[in-house]
Amino acid sequence: TLEPGETDPRNPDTDGDGIADGVEDRDRDGVLDPGETDPNNPDTDSDLLLAAVDLHRGNPTSPTNPDSDADGLSDGLEDANRDGDLDGGETNPNLRDSDADGIDDGVEDLDRDGEVDAAESDPRDADTDADGISDGVEDANRNGAFDAGEPGA
């Protein structure tokens, strides 16, 4: 029987995340240190991506930081199908501003639900309303709202 925090000596990958326990606990001291992933938790940073997906896919993210690009959206929300690759219809968990319009993804998705709602601009499209003017120009103060006096208001 394993005690809480112990890894299984008969299983090289106790949490089943695809990364060997000895790789997750780099100094092999049985203590979760900063920068290490937890060999007993397949999603150490709780971003909804398994640590192996964070590290070993086409668009790797941090397995110890739930928001690798610090844009206000978790990596698992941005990688909607949670496969570790940047696919069409997803924002990039490694870029604060996926569409390069000057507004962070988490500001464009005000409620941080991964959906474009009526009062939001699309973090995947630099010109949400397709009028030829970038969202970052229309939302001049880049707060995610079209305020009086801004070109998009």
Side-chain angles (χ1 to χ4, degrees):
T1 303
L2 296 175
E3 297 293 323
E6 289 182 339
T7 56
D8 185 345
R10 296 158 300 186
N11 183 347
D13 182 14
T14 301
D15 61 7
D17 65 356
I19 302 174
D21 296 343
V23 173
E24 293 196 81
D25 183 7
R26 282 186 241 156
D27 58 4
R28 296 177 174 88
D29 65 355
V31 175
L32 182 60
D33 299 309
E36 293 180 337
T37 55
D38 186 346
N40 289 298
N41 181 350
D43 184 14
T44 299
D45 61 4
S46 301
D47 66 356
L48 304 177
L49 298 176
L50 296 179
V53 172
D54 276 318
L55 291 170
H56 300 298
R57 294 304 300 254
N59 194 33
T61 57
S62 171
T64 58
N65 180 347
D67 183 9
S68 294
D69 60 5
D71 66 356
L73 301 178
S74 75
D75 297 342
L77 182 68
E78 295 197 79
D79 183 1
N81 63 3
R82 298 180 178 90
D83 68 352
D85 294 319
L86 181 59
D87 303 303
E90 294 178 339
T91 53
N92 189 334
N94 288 304
L95 292 176
R96 293 178 67 106
D97 181 13
S98 294
D99 60 6
D101 64 359
I103 306 172
D104 286 356
D105 296 343
V107 173
E108 292 195 81
D109 185 2
L110 291 169
D111 60 4
R112 294 175 169 83
D113 67 352
E115 302 292 327
V116 180
D117 302 311
E120 299 174 336
S121 55
D122 188 342
R124 300 161 301 180
D125 184 349
D127 184 12
T128 300
D129 60 7
D131 65 354
I133 302 172
S134 167
D135 296 339
V137 171
E138 291 185 296
D139 182 11
N141 64 2
R142 295 175 171 83
N143 69 350
F146 297 110
D147 305 307
E150 290 182 326

